[in-house]
Amino acid sequence: MKIAVDAMGGDYAPVEIVKGAVEAARDFDIPVILVGDRSTIETELAKYHSPKPNIEIRHASEVVQMDDHPATALRRKPDSSIVVAANLVKSGEAQAMVSAGNTGAAMAVATLKLGRIKGIDRPAIGSLLPTINGKAVILDAGANVDCSVENLLQFALMGNAYAERIFKLEHPRVGLLSIGEEETKGDELTKATNAELRSQDILNFVGNVEGKEIFRGAVDVVICDGFAGNLVLKISEGVAEFMSKTIKAEVNKSLISKIGALLMRPAFNQFKTKLDYAEYGGAPLLGLDGICMISHGRSDARAMRNAIRAAADAVQNDVVGCIKESVRRNTLAAAHS
């Protein structure tokens, strides 16, 4: 197994990207192909004097900038690091790709090069959110703003498969994001989707879920369109940052607070880790016939290290195969209904 990493994508590329790749290869024994300008990558790798096992370089002469239009990667920059990384997965030289670069470009390139799983109309971003008793995956987290009932059903199948394989849950609890738990709450799309999900025997659908219930651990999979999902994701990031900064400010107000904080440091560190997006690394673009992990543009070495680990986990647990099986079972069930 090899993971193709876009070494030139992200706000802190290539420094933090290369560092994260070195750490992933060393700590998890994951073979990595760093894709980008060879001389630049070699310069960064030279900073690490210890042996760099399982790391190779694939040259790419172009870079898709963060403000480039997604179509630029496909039409004007065919030798960009994102495109070359996707081609490595398509050819089988790598089993997954990771990029912290232009999200739109990564999605467009991965969809074109890897193709969609038969029975999936639109790939969806599955982002992880911390809960009191673990974590939940929410999808779509930004790939599809306007969705149909069929799209949301497909998201549920994909999220269910992901939770089964990555969270190791036999019957993940699937919830539909809405403004109330009652079946009658929400817009027409939500109400129609609720009825459709209730009719699915292969899903453990628990009904509508309010935003506050996600973090209480009420569900393992949260289904919504990309507009609502991205709002949940961004608001969650903002609240986490607000809480961390507020606690730090309050702690520094007095000597007693500082002493108390010192005693509470282990608990604070665990709390901070649980809220930090870098701990999860990246979000999989589910529905593709291959693994594409999309990382935050501000990813540092730790985030990239964890994104590579998450990509490897998705490969080892055959997330793609599980989604294919879920779609197949749903198709058979629909044919016999």
Side-chain angles (χ1 to χ4, degrees):
M1 177 179 63
K2 295 181 179 180
I3 309 298
V5 177
D6 174 11
M8 314 306 290
D11 295 345
Y12 305 119
V15 178
E16 292 295 311
I17 307 301
V18 173
K19 182 180 179 182
V22 170
E23 292 178 356
R26 179 195 65 207
D27 298 344
F28 307 128
D29 193 27
I30 299 174
V32 173
I33 304 175
L34 286 169
V35 184
D37 181 73
R38 182 177 296 275
S39 62
T40 301
I41 295 174
E42 288 177 342
T43 298
E44 291 302 319
L45 285 175
K47 297 178 180 179
Y48 306 96
H49 302 292
S50 58
K52 295 174 282 296
N54 301 329
I55 294 181
E56 58 183 281
I57 301 172
R58 187 61 55 93
H59 180 68
S61 61
E62 298 172 308
V63 177
V64 176
Q65 304 297 335
M66 297 299 281
D67 57 350
D68 281 344
H69 191 279
T72 298
L74 298 169
R75 300 174 185 173
R76 300 181 182 177
K77 296 183 177 180
D79 197 42
S80 64
S81 52
I82 290 179
V83 174
V84 174
N87 282 331
L88 288 173
V89 179
K90 181 180 179 180
S91 67
E93 293 182 69
Q95 283 63 58
M97 64 177 286
V98 179
S99 177
N102 186 309
T103 299
M107 289 169 49
V109 169
T111 301
L112 178 68
K113 296 295 183 179
L114 305 183
R116 295 186 298 271
I117 291 173
K118 184 178 180 180
I120 297 297
D121 298 321
R122 298 182 184 180
I125 298 175
S127 292
L128 300 185
L129 293 172
T131 68
I132 291 177
N133 50 15
K135 59 179 74 76
V137 59
I138 180 171
L139 69 165
D140 181 21
N144 306 281
V145 174
D146 298 309
C147 296
S148 65
V149 173
E150 185 64 24
N151 294 147
L152 295 178
L153 168 59
Q154 292 171 9
F155 296 169
L157 294 173
M158 294 191 292
N160 183 72
Y162 189 81
E164 281 184 353
R165 292 303 176 96
I166 301 301
F167 300 165
K168 308 301 182 184
L169 298 174
E170 189 171 346
H171 298 293
R173 298 162 299 167
V174 179
L176 178 65
L177 185 64
S178 186
I179 57 174
E181 296 180 0
E182 299 86 353
E183 296 179 38
T184 55
K185 290 295 183 68
D187 57 15
E188 293 305 314
L189 174 62
T190 301
K191 288 185 283 188
T193 302
N194 184 296
E196 179 64 31
L197 292 178
R198 287 187 182 280
S199 70
Q200 301 296 317
D201 293 334
I202 66 174
L203 294 173
N204 178 21
F205 181 59
V206 298
N208 288 348
V209 59
E210 297 180 14
K212 63 183 179 182
E213 296 300 324
I214 298 174
F215 302 97
R216 292 175 178 174
V219 292
D220 307 299
V221 181
V222 184
I223 304 304
C224 58
D225 61 43
F227 184 83
N230 196 259
L231 284 176
V232 170
L233 190 64
K234 296 299 173 60
I235 290 174
S236 300
E237 291 178 357
V239 171
E241 185 176 354
F242 165 76
M243 291 176 64
S244 296
K245 289 185 176 180
T246 300
I247 291 173
K248 185 176 181 179
E250 292 297 323
V251 163
N252 289 325
K253 284 185 176 180
S254 69
L255 179 60
I256 294 177
S257 296
K258 292 179 180 178
I259 294 174
L262 185 63
L263 296 174
M264 290 288 292
R265 178 175 292 179
F268 282 145
N269 287 340
Q270 291 179 8
F271 173 73
K272 184 178 179 180
T273 297
K274 197 166 188 178
L275 295 180
D276 191 356
Y277 71 88
E279 186 67 19
Y280 305 102
L285 185 57
L286 300 175
L288 299 180
D289 198 5
I291 299 298
C292 174
M293 194 67 61
I294 296 175
S295 296
H296 203 295
R298 294 186 287 117
S299 292
D300 57 11
R302 185 165 71 92
M304 186 53 53
R305 167 183 177 272
N306 289 331
I308 294 171
R309 179 193 60 187
D313 286 344
V315 174
Q316 291 171 340
N317 288 285
D318 192 22
V319 168
V320 171
C322 190
I323 291 175
K324 288 181 178 179
E325 176 61 17
S326 293
V327 173
R328 186 189 70 82
R329 289 168 57 196
N330 179 69
T331 302
L332 288 175
H336 288 87
S337 63

